[in-house]
Amino acid sequence: MTSDPFDLGNIPEETTARSTSQQAMAGMRAPYLEGLNAEQREAVEALDGPVLVLAGAGTGKTRVLTTRLAHLLATRKAWPGQILAVTFTNKAAREMRDRIGALIGGVVEGMQWLGTFHALGAKILRRHAELAGLRSDFTILDADDQMRLMKQIIVAEGIDEKRWPARQLASHIDGWKNRGLTPDKVPAGEAHAFANGKGGELYAAYQARLKVLNAADFGDLLLEVLRIFQEHPEVLADYQDRFKYMLVDEYQDTNVAQYLWLRLLAQKHKNICCVGDDDQSIYGWRGAEVDNILRFEKDFSGAKVVRLERNYRSTANILGAASGLIAANEQRLGKTLWTEANDNEGDPIKIASYWDGEEEARAIAEEVEQLQRNAHLLRDMAILVRASFQMREFEDRFINLGIPYRVVGGPRFYERAEIRDANAYLRLVAQPDDDLAFERIVNKPRRGLGDVAVQTIHRLARAENTTLFRASKMLAASEELKPAARRALASFIEQVDRWRALVPGMPHTELAEIILDESGYTEMWQNDKSADAPGKLENLKELVRSMEFHETLAGYLEHISLVMEMEQSDTADKINLMTLHSAKGLEFETVFLPGWEEGLFPHQRALDESGLAGLEEERRLAYVGITRAKQRAYISFAANRRIHALWQSSIPSRFVDELPKHHVQVTESAMAGASYQNYGQSRFAQDFAQNSNYSSPGWRRAQANTEMTARTRPPAYEVHADLVATSDPAAESYGKGERVFHQKFGYGHVTEIDGNKLTVDFDKAGRKKVIDSFLERA
């Protein structure tokens, strides 16, 4: 007879205390319910029927999830194998499993359906692989293998891979799979966006090739299971019977395929509990659909909605500022965070402005040092930036001051792959005998020097006891390599020699730009259509700018070598540096939020590509940033900033304008900022208007809106339309088919018109949705 790990009824009561499950069955309050507030307990005990738990930042979401799972097991509403619990990361799944074990007093056995979407999808797909045209031992491709296969498909179809790169096709296919679209369901208009209408055919060819290879990519782990559920009702019915209860974490981050997957499985028992926060939906760029959580009550009639609004993390001022800001979003279900610590509201959020990004980094570093002198641990502080290129100024400042730091969610600036590549070019120009630098970039970007050619260079270098660069010169003058490889190698050698000749008479920053352009390295990332390519280009521009602080190329390279030698222990006390996206789920005593300027935050790309939806996601990102702070938050902006190696005058972010005034404090630097040309466009400058003369349209607009509260301000789309407009807010309308020009996307023609939002087919960038005020007639 198989023992039941949850059946403790045979243990004599005189030899052991009553178990959690026995107490629950006897009607006693289980210990794990103690300490829950009323809303948390309501979410835990509402076991039957659809439940949506709107869990604000810092309201104990994870505790509710794990306690609810423990309650299901302890009350014997379901056995472990009858519960589907979905998380977004393996770390979250492990933490949930450990917490449940701690709550019920033992190791949780049989929770085979607790995991990430992809892990659970892989398990189901292996059980029914034949229905997807696969064998159960199919291979799951990593990103490199996936890219290599797509390149083969593109070449086989006779398409120019340089014009239509594989990464761009991968981005399209990933987007289609996130939306649950098989090749036959891709809209014709979207298929036209790649390779002159061949996107759909290439997607079908790629899927067919996967079947031949008995392989699946990560998107298939959801898409193929979804297709099996839709086409094989008997399989779906089996899993609907199996999963008596379903729990879903971070529901606001689900994409369309995940949403459809969950909705199908929940149709029988309808005991689905989704936990999430619509105000923290910040991953739209990777397929997340905030609408999934917004329409939960329509999808599951009679759903119970529980709002967790009591915050256990932040002070009243921080919560008040965050709540006032997010109230400007239209697409939200609505909740207001509060804390019992209202008698101690904490410090107001400090607002500061600076002349430029360097001054901003210097001032924040000084504040960090002051806090550290007052016994504030560095590990309890964080600097959260909108774009990764902003990190470089802080990293250099911390290095100069000897402040230890760590970059969370990615490598430090000088350790990023694109920065290492660029520095390898510079090292080889400065020192041709640097074999490590040569090996790193000899075929990056690809020059037609395959593994055989590189191995030949290595073999000759060893035989002649010389460096790789010198061996390459020998090979270029011989017949050892195939003609194409020999020509590519000779061209590369000629480039390096020419760049080296420029070193004595040219500023090293200008030389770096020439090297990155002539080598094709910048163009490689310009042609890359992956989500992180724009950030890599920004980092390369920031790298060139960082070289200005060194007199020579040799001085810069020496600085880099010292930076790379810094101790890397993660256990030491270090300040945390990361992007706002990486900060989700974390918390710190003190948070610095630099770079709150129009165009940087909200990011111009989000406004250009997604209009109002993009603006609202950027505002949710600002909300996430503020609510990471427990005790102190600092927001700052600069009047001037170097972006893409060009100085740009900036105005404060509209998000600064939307912070409730009684929850913030303008610091002296912001008072000084009142004299800056653009600073007057923030309403905080009104405090100092008596000493200044403001006449800009933005300042007059801010004056008119001074008394508006978060609850009475105009709809977000009106604010957006007003502030996004450029020099001519009354721009003439465009007609279908009209030829237009966009500063970023180039030339194209208008295909659809929706108010001031136009759909444009750009010659090179494909189909984009843009605001009409950003277009010019071609």
Side-chain angles (χ1 to χ4, degrees):
M1 180 176 178
T2 304
S3 61
D4 178 2
F6 295 96
D7 186 0
L8 306 181
N10 294 325
I11 301 177
E13 291 190 14
E14 60 271 18
T15 61
T16 182
R18 302 189 73 190
S19 71
T20 297
S21 61
Q22 287 174 322
Q23 293 179 44
M25 293 296 288
M28 298 173 59
R29 175 170 293 178
Y32 56 74
L33 295 176
E34 298 295 337
L36 297 177
N37 64 38
E39 293 76 24
Q40 289 174 331
R41 191 161 60 249
E42 181 183 9
V44 167
E45 294 180 334
L47 297 180
D48 297 320
V51 178
L52 175 63
V53 181
L54 284 177
T59 57
K61 173 202 72 170
T62 303
R63 183 178 184 183
V64 166
L65 262 175
T66 53
T67 307
R68 183 181 172 90
L69 264 173
H71 195 52
L72 280 170
L73 296 173
T75 57
R76 299 190 180 180
K77 280 280 190 177
W79 302 114
Q82 294 176 311
I83 301 173
L84 177 72
V86 188
T87 66
F88 268 81
T89 65
N90 290 314
K91 179 182 177 182
R94 286 193 301 270
E95 181 182 358
M96 190 177 297
R97 195 183 302 271
D98 292 342
R99 286 199 186 192
I100 297 167
L103 286 174
I104 66 175
V107 177
V108 180
E109 298 181 7
M111 289 290 296
Q112 58 177 317
W113 298 104
L114 191 163
T116 65
F117 275 104
H118 290 100
L120 297 175
K123 182 177 293 188
I124 295 173
L125 187 56
R126 290 199 187 277
R127 291 186 173 193
H128 307 281
E130 72 284 354
L131 298 180
L134 298 168
R135 299 190 306 272
S136 61
D137 61 345
F138 63 82
T139 300
I140 300 175
L141 298 186
D142 61 20
D144 288 342
D145 290 337
Q146 181 183 4
M147 208 59 57
R148 189 155 48 246
L149 180 56
M150 288 194 183
K151 287 180 180 179
Q152 294 173 5
I153 298 295
I154 290 173
V155 172
E157 291 293 323
I159 296 170
D160 183 359
E161 206 269 331
K162 290 185 177 179
R163 183 179 180 187
W164 303 103
R167 288 187 181 275
Q168 185 178 358
L169 177 62
S171 178
H172 283 297
I173 291 178
D174 185 57
W176 291 328
K177 289 187 177 182
N178 284 341
R179 289 158 54 199
L181 298 176
T182 50
D184 58 304
K185 294 180 181 177
V186 175
E190 293 186 29
H192 186 75
F194 186 83
N196 298 320
K198 292 186 177 179
E201 296 175 22
L202 292 170
Y203 180 15
Y206 170 71
Q207 292 299 101
R209 185 61 180 163
L210 285 176
K211 299 298 188 293
V212 172
L213 298 175
N214 190 38
D217 61 23
F218 271 83
D220 287 328
L221 300 181
L222 292 175
L223 180 68
E224 292 291 0
V225 172
L226 180 61
R227 188 169 63 82
I228 289 171
F229 285 166
Q230 292 171 331
E231 297 179 0
H232 300 275
E234 72 285 357
V235 176
L236 174 61
D238 177 58
Y239 284 99
Q240 288 176 334
D241 287 335
R242 181 191 305 267
F243 300 136
K244 190 175 179 182
Y245 287 89
M246 297 170 57
L247 286 85
V248 186
D249 191 14
E250 303 287 9
Y251 189 59
Q252 79 281 348
D253 293 333
T254 53
N255 59 37
V256 173
Q258 291 163 342
Y259 161 78
L260 294 172
W261 197 81
L262 292 168
R263 196 175 68 172
L264 282 172
L265 288 174
Q267 288 309 303
K268 180 173 183 178
H269 297 293
K270 292 187 168 53
N271 294 327
I272 181 171
C273 175
C274 293
V275 181
D277 183 1
D278 52 320
D279 291 333
Q280 295 189 71
S281 179
I282 59 174
Y283 296 119
W285 50 275
R286 69 183 189 196
E289 289 281 350
V290 68
D291 284 349
N292 294 348
I293 193 170
L294 296 178
R295 61 172 173 246
F296 185 88
E297 292 178 87
K298 293 182 180 178
D299 291 334
F300 299 98
S301 60
K304 184 180 186 66
V305 179
V306 180
R307 285 175 167 80
L308 303 184
E309 299 175 308
R310 180 179 175 183
N311 180 279
Y312 293 92
R313 175 190 299 160
S314 306
T315 64
N317 271 322
I318 290 172
L319 296 181
S323 296
L325 172 68
I326 200 63
N329 271 7
E330 286 188 323
Q331 297 299 311
R332 62 189 299 259
L333 295 171
K335 60 185 173 304
T336 303
L337 298 183
W338 61 277
T339 175
E340 282 193 340
N342 285 323
D343 55 334
N344 179 21
E345 293 188 345
D347 297 336
I349 292 179
K350 292 182 172 59
I351 308 290
S353 73
Y354 301 98
W355 176 247
D356 58 20
E358 289 292 332
E359 183 185 11
E360 181 182 50
R362 184 166 55 251
I364 288 177
E366 289 172 357
E367 184 66 24
V368 168
E369 286 189 306
Q370 182 60 45
L371 290 169
Q372 190 180 24
R373 282 193 289 269
N374 293 333
H376 194 316
L377 292 174
L378 290 174
R379 69 170 65 97
D380 292 333
M381 295 185 243
I383 298 174
L384 311 182
V385 298
R386 176 60 183 88
S388 60
F389 78 85
Q390 294 174 259
M391 294 184 187
R392 203 278 309 166
E393 291 171 331
F394 292 100
E395 291 194 49
D396 278 355
R397 192 65 190 162
F398 291 154
I399 290 167
N400 291 336
L401 294 176
I403 298 175
Y405 71 94
R406 68 171 58 86
V407 174
V408 178
R412 301 190 306 172
F413 182 81
Y414 293 108
E415 294 170 348
R416 299 176 188 277
E418 65 275 16
I419 302 303
R420 284 182 178 271
D421 290 343
N423 284 334
Y425 272 103
L426 298 175
R427 283 164 49 196
L428 188 63
V429 168
Q431 177 49 266
D433 293 336
D434 190 333
D435 279 1
L436 293 177
F438 177 91
E439 191 171 17
R440 185 178 183 94
I441 49 85
V442 65
N443 200 36
K444 189 180 292 184
R446 294 189 181 279
R447 298 183 173 88
L449 295 170
D451 293 341
V452 173
V454 174
Q455 289 169 7
T456 304
I457 297 172
H458 273 278
R459 188 164 57 250
L460 180 61
R462 288 195 299 270
E464 298 292 331
N465 194 26
T466 188
T467 65
L468 296 177
F469 189 78
R470 296 178 191 274
S472 296
K473 284 192 171 183
M474 298 178 195
L475 283 172
S478 73
E479 301 292 330
E480 294 291 333
L481 298 176
K482 292 181 178 180
R486 189 167 66 250
R487 286 193 298 270
L489 187 61
S491 175
F492 176 66
I493 292 169
E494 186 275 329
Q495 280 185 318
V496 174
D497 285 339
R498 178 163 44 81
W499 295 331
R500 186 177 301 116
L502 296 175
V503 171
M506 178 178 288
H508 55 291
T509 53
E510 185 178 340
L511 176 60
E513 291 180 326
I514 289 174
I515 292 172
L516 291 174
D517 287 342
E518 292 186 353
S519 67
Y521 191 76
T522 298
E523 183 183 10
M524 180 185 78
W525 288 114
Q526 288 172 338
N527 291 334
D528 191 313
K529 302 304 179 182
S530 62
D532 57 350
K536 292 182 183 294
L537 288 169
E538 289 175 346
N539 290 338
L540 291 172
K541 295 293 185 183
E542 186 64 21
L543 169 70
V544 174
R545 188 166 84 86
S546 74
M547 296 174 67
E548 295 176 356
F549 301 95
H550 306 278
E551 294 184 2
T552 64
L553 177 60
Y556 165 75
L557 292 174
E558 181 177 346
H559 168 74
I560 295 304
S561 65
L562 295 174
V563 168
M564 301 301 284
E565 285 297 318
M566 288 188 64
E567 187 266 330
Q568 292 293 304
S569 171
D570 283 335
T571 60
D573 186 33
K574 300 179 180 181
I575 189 169
N576 301 281
L577 183 58
M578 69 192 81
T579 64
L580 284 158
H581 284 99
S582 297
K584 189 169 179 292
L586 303 178
E587 59 183 41
F588 306 93
E589 293 292 325
T590 300
V591 167
F592 296 91
L593 299 161
W596 280 41
E597 299 132 29
E598 284 294 306
L600 179 55
F601 192 39
H603 203 286
Q604 193 62 47
R605 186 168 65 247
L607 302 181
D608 289 346
E609 295 181 355
S610 304
L612 176 59
L615 172 63
E616 295 208 343
E617 181 159 317
E618 291 288 291
R619 189 178 285 112
R620 291 193 292 269
L621 193 56
Y623 171 84
V624 166
I626 294 173
T627 54
R628 299 311 93 195
K630 297 166 72 174
Q631 295 294 328
R632 302 170 200 84
Y634 299 77
I635 292 174
S636 57
F637 49 88
N640 305 280
R641 191 174 295 277
R642 284 280 292 274
I643 300 178
H644 302 309
L646 298 174
W647 279 106
Q648 296 183 15
S649 295
S650 304
I651 62 173
S653 168
R654 70 194 73 190
F655 300 152
V656 176
D657 236 14
E658 294 169 354
L659 295 168
K661 192 172 182 181
H662 54 284
H663 289 302
V664 303
Q665 174 187 341
V666 181
T667 65
E668 288 186 6
S669 65
M671 296 182 189
S675 63
Y676 298 165
Q677 179 181 358
N678 299 305
Y679 180 74
Q681 298 193 29
S682 167
R683 67 176 171 81
F684 287 105
Q686 295 173 54
D687 296 339
F688 323 110
Q690 63 270 24
N691 299 319
S692 305
N693 178 24
Y694 298 105
S695 60
S696 70
W699 170 249
R700 292 196 298 271
R701 180 172 65 246
Q703 287 276 42
N705 292 335
T706 301
E707 302 303 322
M708 287 186 179
T709 65
R711 296 297 182 185
T712 60
R713 72 171 50 85
Y717 70 86
E718 293 181 17
V719 176
H720 170 67
D722 183 19
L723 295 180
V724 168
T726 52
S727 58
D728 182 13
E732 296 179 10
S733 60
Y734 294 88
K736 278 190 176 182
E738 188 167 357
R739 188 75 172 166
V740 293
F741 175 77
H742 188 281
Q743 191 72 30
K744 176 182 177 183
F745 301 126
Y747 290 95
H749 61 275
V750 178
T751 59
E752 296 179 20
I753 301 174
D754 182 11
N756 70 332
K757 186 189 296 184
L758 309 181
T759 300
V760 180
D761 272 348
F762 291 101
D763 297 349
K764 294 183 178 180
R767 180 164 293 190
K768 304 285 184 184
K769 287 186 177 181
V770 297
I771 305 301
D772 58 9
S773 56
F774 288 94
L775 295 172
E776 302 173 17
R777 285 184 167 81

